[in-house]
Amino acid sequence: MSIYTIYIPGHVDRSKIQPCLLDVHSTFVDIDLENFDVNAKLKEHGHFIVLDNDYFLVYEKEHPAGAKCDYKSRNFAMYELIHRYPSSVGFVRMLKEMDGIWAYDKLSVLYFVFKPNSDALRPDYKALYNTVVEFYDTAEEEDFEKFAEIAKTKDSCVSHFFVVNRGSTYHVVDTNNPTINKALHEYKLSTKRDPNFQLHDTQGVPLKENETFMLRINNSEIEDNNDEDSDYEIELEYVAVLEDSPGPYTLYGGLGDGGDIFSFKVVDNITYLTYKGGYVCVDPVDPEETIFQITVEPEIPPKERRIQIYYANDGSIALSQWNGDVYVCCDWVKCAYAAIGINCSDWVDHWGQYSKFVIERVEAEAN
């Protein structure tokens, strides 16, 4: 499913237009500009983009004549348009208007992207906001020396380095000396089931079956930004269970000094999270089964409703539907409440962030 509809008039040569990362999530449509009905398209799309040779135009109700934007800032501007229109205060704050054209006032970073893996990139990462891109189609075309020569011709880009992306690997390359480069690897969770899986805490100490623990929602960004000398006290977010609603118990996230108590069972070499003897599983919310809540059922769930557990590189765990590649996430509806579930929409599949949970043992009470 495309996020953007981009129209190309007959006088525009698309091959000469600087690509951007969001192009892989866009539908391009050739048009006859003389017979193009802007108002009809605004009713159809709400907003849309038209390419021109020296700039691109964003159309919306407040800009029926089109807001002109600079190609060097196209990825930045297009991502902002997911959330803001050119008439909004936020858009004006992020982009600057000069000589009638909107542009971001920082130099862009040039990315060379292996096109077969381009869907794996997330243009909503801040590091990818302000970028321009050159795609390459085969592994044989990955030539840092050649890329460096291309980078030197990009006047609107940072001059001293560029980035080469292929799948989950990024190389930061010195433009003037491409032999100087550093490989950075984006951590990917394995979606394969481990037949020898064993649940353990963040220190790697295995848990015993029926041993109890709480699930803390990993929020390292808040914790890392907390000043130890300040009076601000972090309220930890834990997974809790809503029991006072009709139907199955439902998991959610909430603030407090502790969450509800979970355990696990191993049946036929499959590890099940449990709550009060029931089994934690997924439960479809919509008929299309694109959104799932996390519930507790009294019996072992069928395969399609099982929860699968994965380990992240920091020792915390992530959860998905059995054999699925979309992970459980926490959607903070309010500052003190989060819905916990799985969203299989195209948007989340491309760019959604999964949640990680830290196992915190609960000491057994002394008799």
Side-chain angles (χ1 to χ4, degrees), residues 32-328:
D32 176 3
L33 199 57
E34 291 185 1
N35 298 313
F36 185 68
D37 190 337
V38 169
N39 292 326
K41 294 302 179 184
L42 284 174
K43 289 181 180 179
E44 180 181 353
H45 300 294
H47 71 283
F48 58 87
I49 291 168
V50 176
L51 302 184
D52 210 319
N53 288 317
D54 299 320
Y55 48 80
F56 66 101
L57 297 102
V58 178
Y59 288 86
E60 57 151 340
K61 292 179 180 178
E62 285 75 12
H63 284 271
K68 297 179 180 179
C69 297
D70 197 308
Y71 275 117
K72 71 178 182 180
S73 304
R74 187 154 71 96
N75 196 75
F76 192 102
M78 287 176 66
Y79 176 72
E80 286 299 315
L81 290 171
I82 298 172
H83 307 285
R84 306 177 178 96
Y85 292 150
S87 57
S88 71
V89 174
F91 192 95
V92 173
R93 187 184 299 121
M94 301 301 290
L95 299 176
K96 307 298 181 184
E97 187 179 18
M98 184 175 294
D99 298 327
I101 297 179
W102 293 93
Y104 188 56
D105 60 359
K106 307 293 184 183
L107 291 174
S108 304
V109 175
L110 176 61
Y111 270 65
F112 292 88
V113 175
F114 186 52
K115 196 167 187 177
N117 295 142
S118 58
D119 278 1
L121 282 170
R122 291 184 49 183
D124 63 328
Y125 280 154
K126 290 184 178 179
L128 301 181
Y129 276 9
N130 190 29
T131 58
V132 296
V133 66
E134 294 284 344
F135 293 107
Y136 63 101
D137 297 308
T138 65
E140 291 73 25
E141 294 178 75
E142 190 175 278
D143 184 335
F144 289 3
E145 296 279 352
K146 180 181 177 181
F147 290 168
E149 293 305 312
I150 295 173
K152 292 174 183 177
T153 68
K154 302 290 184 180
D155 295 334
S156 62
C157 294
V158 175
S159 61
H160 58 285
F161 77 93
F162 57 90
V163 177
V164 180
N165 166 255
R166 186 176 174 189
S168 61
T169 302
Y170 297 77
H171 280 87
V172 181
V173 185
D174 188 318
T175 306
N176 297 311
N177 186 358
T179 61
I180 301 175
N181 62 81
K182 182 175 182 179
L184 306 173
H185 298 273
E186 180 184 21
Y187 183 77
K188 298 286 185 181
L189 294 178
S190 171
T191 57
K192 295 182 180 179
R193 180 172 176 263
D194 181 0
N196 300 312
F197 180 86
Q198 187 174 28
L199 201 62
H200 58 73
D201 60 20
T202 52
Q203 284 71 47
V205 179
L207 279 78
K208 297 177 181 179
E209 192 169 349
N210 294 319
E211 187 173 357
T212 55
F213 53 86
M214 292 184 293
L215 292 173
R216 177 164 60 84
I217 302 167
N218 192 343
N219 200 340
S220 58
E221 181 178 349
I222 292 178
E223 293 171 3
D224 290 344
N225 289 338
N226 187 39
D227 185 351
E228 294 181 357
D229 296 327
S230 73
D231 295 329
Y232 177 73
E233 182 178 353
I234 297 174
E235 293 185 278
L236 300 178
E237 299 94 356
Y238 287 85
V239 176
V241 180
L242 184 64
E243 297 189 16
D244 58 354
S245 62
Y249 295 165
T250 304
L251 272 65
Y252 70 98
L255 297 179
D257 58 0
D260 283 321
I261 307 301
F262 294 87
S263 187
F264 75 98
K265 294 180 182 178
V266 179
V267 181
D268 295 332
N269 203 32
I270 296 173
T271 300
Y272 295 91
L273 289 176
T274 60
Y275 173 77
K276 291 187 176 180
Y279 297 85
V280 178
C281 59
V282 301
D283 185 23
V285 174
D286 60 330
E288 293 78 19
E289 297 193 0
T290 58
I291 299 176
F292 298 82
Q293 62 183 352
I294 310 302
T295 62
V296 180
E297 298 287 355
E299 304 294 335
I300 292 178
K303 186 174 182 179
E304 67 274 9
R305 293 189 59 198
R306 292 176 191 163
I307 289 283
Q308 192 159 334
I309 307 170
Y310 306 87
Y311 278 105
N313 57 345
D314 58 2
S316 58
I317 62 173
L319 309 174
S320 79
Q321 186 179 10
W322 189 260
N323 288 337
D325 56 2
V326 181
Y327 298 92
V328 169

Side-chain angles (χ1 to χ4, degrees), residues 8-18 51-53 71:
I8 310 175
H11 69 278
V12 175
D13 183 355
R14 186 183 167 190
S15 67
K16 296 181 179 179
I17 300 298
Q18 178 67 54
L51 302 184
D52 210 319
N53 288 317
Y71 275 117

